């Protein structure tokens, strides 16, 4: 190898080395930022649901799944668009799981709220004060309502004012019904009044609203199921055609035009499912 060729080879080697170093440092910086954001968000969300897990361990599990699952999918079906779609799904799965857990806990709290208010009204009529009533309900009720009330009681024992303690409850739950209850408790502490009757009326109102929501949910369940079926049907058809006619259908996964068709189909699928969900979603 002549001198100029050797110099050019060294220059190329150094350039590749510098580029690799820059990409590595950039990837490490991005991963570090993502880890901080992930751990902070996950820790806060889990604490709001009274779930105490190690966010660092969850980050490592998510990162491992993000590397292994797309690799296994590529070994099973060597299609770049499918691998990218699976990787994106794995990346957003922790957020979707947290959202599902929050929604389930939120529904459970609302299901318990009418009985909780009626039990508070009965205890107040029986001669107990508000602090004793909250302690008794925190001990006797099931989770998640008992967890929220126990936290209110513990905050008061640590010196937090009653208004701030119930205000923190409203901030954690973020519900119009809980805001009404907190407002009723605060107003009663300031100006007095028959709190038992107020809580009983609130409990009956919330119960009627929940019954209306359940009725609407039952009437719209068929539309939601149709949306799921219509969304899953094209995917099932493509998988069936891929099994029946792999040569003809394989162009969707092996060519740029096929990838474009799959991308457009995916966008239309998501828009169609979102439209059906908006149609059958009725707020009370």
């Amino acid at each position: 190898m002549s001198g100029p060729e050797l110099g050019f080879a060294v220059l190329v080697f150094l350039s590749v080395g510098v580029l690799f170093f820059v990409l590595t440092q950039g990837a490490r910086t991005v991963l570090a930022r993502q880890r901080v954001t992930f751990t902070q968000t996950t820790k806060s969300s889990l604490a709001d649901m009274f779930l105490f897990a190690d966010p660092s361990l969850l980050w490592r599990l998510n990162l491992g799944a993000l590397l292994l699952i797309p690799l296994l999918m590529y070994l099973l079906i060597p299609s770049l668009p499918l691998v990218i779609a699976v990787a994106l799904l794995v990346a957003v799965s922790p957020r979707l799981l947290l959202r599902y857990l929050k929604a389930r806990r939120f529904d459970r709290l609302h299901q318990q709220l009418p009985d909780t208010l009626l039990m508070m009204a009965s205890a107040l009529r029986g001669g107990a004060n508000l602090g004793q009533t909250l302690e008794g309900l925190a001990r006797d009720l099931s989770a998640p309502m008992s967890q929220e009330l126990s936290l209110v009681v513990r905050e008061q024992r640590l010196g937090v004012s009653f208004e701030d303690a119930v205000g923190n409850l409203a901030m954690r739950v973020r519900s119009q019904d809980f805001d009404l209850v907190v407002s009723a408790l605060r107003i009663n502490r300031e100006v007095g009044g028959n709190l038992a009757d107020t809580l009983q009326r609130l409990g009956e109102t919330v119960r009627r609203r929940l019954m209306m929501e359940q009725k609407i949910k039952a009437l719209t369940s068929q539309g939601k199921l149709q949306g799921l079926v219509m969304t899953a049907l094209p995917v099932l058809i493509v998988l069936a055609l891929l099994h029946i006619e792999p040569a003809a259908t394989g162009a969707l996964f092996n060519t740029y035009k096929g990838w474009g068709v799959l991308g457009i189909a995916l966008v239309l699928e998501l828009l169609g499912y979102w439209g059906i969900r908006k149609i059958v979603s009725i707020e009370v």
Side-chain angles (χ1 to χ4, degrees), residues 120-122 124-126 184-185 187-189 191-202:
M120 289 178 65
S122 299
L124 291 173
R125 289 195 180 97
L185 294 176
I187 292 172
N188 179 264
R189 296 276 291 191
V191 301
N194 193 339
L195 181 59
D197 291 343
T198 302
L199 293 178
Q200 182 174 357
R201 287 195 295 270
L202 278 176

Side-chain angles (χ1 to χ4, degrees), residues 255-277:
T255 62
Y256 291 107
K257 293 182 179 180
W259 296 350
V261 171
L262 287 177
I264 294 174
L266 179 61
V267 172
L268 294 177
E269 283 277 295
L270 294 176
L271 290 177
Y273 180 73
W274 177 79
I276 294 174
R277 292 288 297 182

